[in-house]
């Protein structure tokens, strides 16, 4: 029984350490550079960083969090309006479906003047 527990512990130990590793240092360094480029209001620095690290904007921007904020909010909080407007199309939006055939109250009427 002691042998079984010892063998199980030896086998399961590497699995526990691999699960705790968040990301490689190179990926972390790359994402820090992307966050720094987003904080600057320089489109040249932003585009150069994106091309240099070959960042896929559709995959990275909706998921990237810098200092606890989404990438778009992070850029806006640092006053980088030009950078934020450049990445705005890649951010996830909200979709709402509203039935137009429903009867609405007077404040929800669709009024068109021509």
């Amino acid at each position: 029984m002691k042998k079984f527990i010892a063998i199980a512990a030896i086998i399961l130990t590497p699995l526990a350490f691999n699960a705790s590793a968040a990301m490689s240092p190179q990926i972390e360094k790359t994402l820090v550079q992307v966050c720094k480029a987003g904080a600057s209001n320089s489109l040249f620095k932003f585009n150069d960083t994106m091309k240099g690290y070959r960042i896929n904007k559709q995959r990275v921007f909706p998921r990237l969090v810098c200092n606890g904020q989404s990438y778009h909010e992070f850029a806006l909080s640092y006053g980088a309006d030009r950078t934020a407007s450049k990445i705005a199309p890649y951010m996830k939006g909200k979709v709402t479906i509203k039935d137009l055939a429903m009867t609405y109250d007077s404040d929800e009427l669709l009024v068109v003047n021509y």
Side-chain angles (χ1 to χ4, degrees), residues 27-41:
I27 292 175
E28 185 177 4
K29 177 185 157 242
T30 300
L31 293 177
V32 166
Q33 291 300 318
V34 171
C35 287
K36 286 181 181 180
S40 72
N41 206 18

Side-chain angles (χ1 to χ4, degrees), residues 23-91:
M23 69 177 72
S24 70
Q26 182 171 353
I27 292 175
E28 185 177 4
K29 177 185 157 242
T30 300
L31 293 177
V32 166
Q33 291 300 318
V34 171
C35 287
K36 286 181 181 180
S40 72
N41 206 18
S42 170
L43 288 180
F44 175 75
K45 183 176 180 180
F46 174 76
N47 289 330
D48 188 46
T49 304
M50 296 300 115
K51 288 179 185 176
Y53 288 111
R54 292 187 256 165
I55 301 293
N56 185 343
K57 296 175 185 177
Q58 289 86 4
R59 294 185 72 194
V60 172
F61 288 151
R63 295 174 181 93
L64 181 58
V65 175
C66 301
N67 292 344
Q69 299 174 331
S70 72
Y71 192 67
H72 187 259
E73 292 172 357
F74 177 75
L76 288 175
S77 68
Y78 277 88
D81 298 330
R82 292 188 292 181
T83 306
S85 65
K86 184 85 169 175
I87 63 169
Y90 301 105
M91 302 310 295

Side-chain angles (χ1 to χ4, degrees), residues 2 7 10 12 18 22 25 36 66 70 75 82 84 88 93 97 110 114:
K2 289 182 181 180
I7 291 172
I10 291 171
L12 295 177
N18 286 340
K36 286 181 181 180
C66 301
S70 72
R82 292 188 292 181
I97 299 173
L110 302 172
Y114 61 96

